[in-house]
Amino acid sequence: MNPGRLFFLMSICLLLFFSRVKSSSAHFVFSYQDTTLRNEKIINQDTNILDTALIVGKKLTAEEKMAEKQVTYKSIYFWGDTKNMVTLPYQGGLAVNLNKLYNLLSKKGRASRRLQRLFEREFEQDKVLAQWTALTEAYTPLTGDSLVKFRAYYEPSSKWLRKADHYDQIAYVQHSLKNYLDSVEIIHQRLSLPKLEILNP
């Protein structure tokens, strides 16, 4: 290549490079100043907005929580499903669903059914808590921390709550309330004590 042409091309490249650096640095200074001013306005606006913000969470029922789990963990319900594994077709004989047979025998299927049982226990517990909360709100004059501690200390079992009729439930609340008011300080002390873990030697 001609040395004169090479020198000419190099000088054009250097000229373009330095003009680009100069323009980008000027642009950087301008955008930096503009961003700073804009950020100060945004910070002031955000602070005012956050001071007046109110976040309200929706409390889900036991049924809604269970339905949400069934959607979120639908693969668990697929792998744990063993219902109608053997059917009797109209043509005669027996039909075995191989997917469900695999679910019955596989480790993944057993783990899925174990998790389903955990979800069922949580569902029962949520139903008990909802029913117990409604009873204590309706049939006790307690509020605040006292109500929370009363519920925690006298919460009945899900089996009893399922079998007891409404009048028995009210009687249990009234009887528990009398005991609570008679020994409120002792109950609060017991609830504040840390739970001891018994280790097997």
Side-chain angles (χ1 to χ4, degrees):
M1 181 181 276
N2 188 351
R5 184 178 289 178
L6 182 63
F7 177 76
F8 175 73
L9 289 173
M10 286 180 63
S11 61
I12 288 177
C13 289
L14 289 171
L15 181 66
L16 289 173
F17 174 74
F18 283 115
S19 65
R20 181 179 290 175
V21 168
K22 197 178 288 185
S23 64
S24 65
S25 64
H27 175 69
F28 173 75
V29 171
F30 174 76
S31 63
Y32 174 77
Q33 291 172 348
D34 183 48
T35 307
T36 306
L37 293 172
R38 192 169 64 241
N39 282 346
E40 287 177 3
K41 291 178 185 175
I42 290 170
I43 288 168
N44 292 335
Q45 289 174 356
D46 285 351
T47 307
N48 293 336
I49 292 168
L50 287 175
D51 287 342
T52 58
L54 177 64
I55 300 169
V56 179
K58 184 188 173 189
K59 192 172 182 181
L60 299 177
T61 64
E63 289 77 12
E64 288 171 338
K65 284 183 186 176
M66 189 64 176
E68 197 175 77
K69 284 176 185 173
Q70 288 173 344
V71 171
T72 306
Y73 301 102
K74 60 184 176 183
S75 61
I76 298 296
Y77 287 90
F78 173 78
W79 290 111
D81 183 22
T82 57
K83 292 176 183 175
N84 303 322
M85 183 170 53
V86 179
T87 56
L88 299 171
Y90 294 114
Q91 298 85 2
L94 289 174
V96 179
N97 186 319
L98 295 179
N99 285 333
K100 294 187 179 185
L101 180 63
Y102 175 79
N103 293 349
L104 178 68
L105 302 174
S106 69
K107 185 178 179 181
K108 186 185 283 188
R110 289 193 299 274
S112 297
R113 285 189 293 280
R114 192 161 52 246
L115 193 55
Q116 284 180 37
R117 288 192 293 272
L118 175 65
F119 289 163
E120 288 294 329
R121 285 195 298 272
E122 288 175 352
F123 174 62
E124 290 297 323
Q125 187 64 24
D126 287 341
K127 284 201 299 187
V128 167
L129 284 174
Q131 196 172 354
W132 179 235
T133 300
L135 282 167
T136 53
E137 281 177 359
Y139 300 104
T140 68
L142 302 174
T143 57
D145 189 52
S146 297
L147 181 58
V148 171
K149 289 183 176 179
F150 173 79
R151 284 174 180 162
Y153 196 78
Y154 289 102
E155 183 183 324
S157 67
S158 57
K159 186 178 180 182
W160 181 87
L161 205 57
R162 262 198 318 269
K163 290 184 177 179
D165 62 20
H166 190 60
Y167 296 105
D168 288 336
Q169 293 170 3
I170 295 171
Y172 174 75
V173 172
Q174 295 298 320
H175 180 70
S176 301
L177 179 62
K178 183 179 181 303
N179 291 342
Y180 175 78
L181 293 174
D182 288 342
S183 53
V184 64
E185 290 181 9
I186 297 169
I187 291 170
H188 283 211
Q189 281 178 349
R190 285 182 183 173
L191 289 172
S192 63
L193 290 173
K195 292 182 180 178
L196 297 175
E197 293 184 6
I198 300 173
L199 301 175
N200 293 326

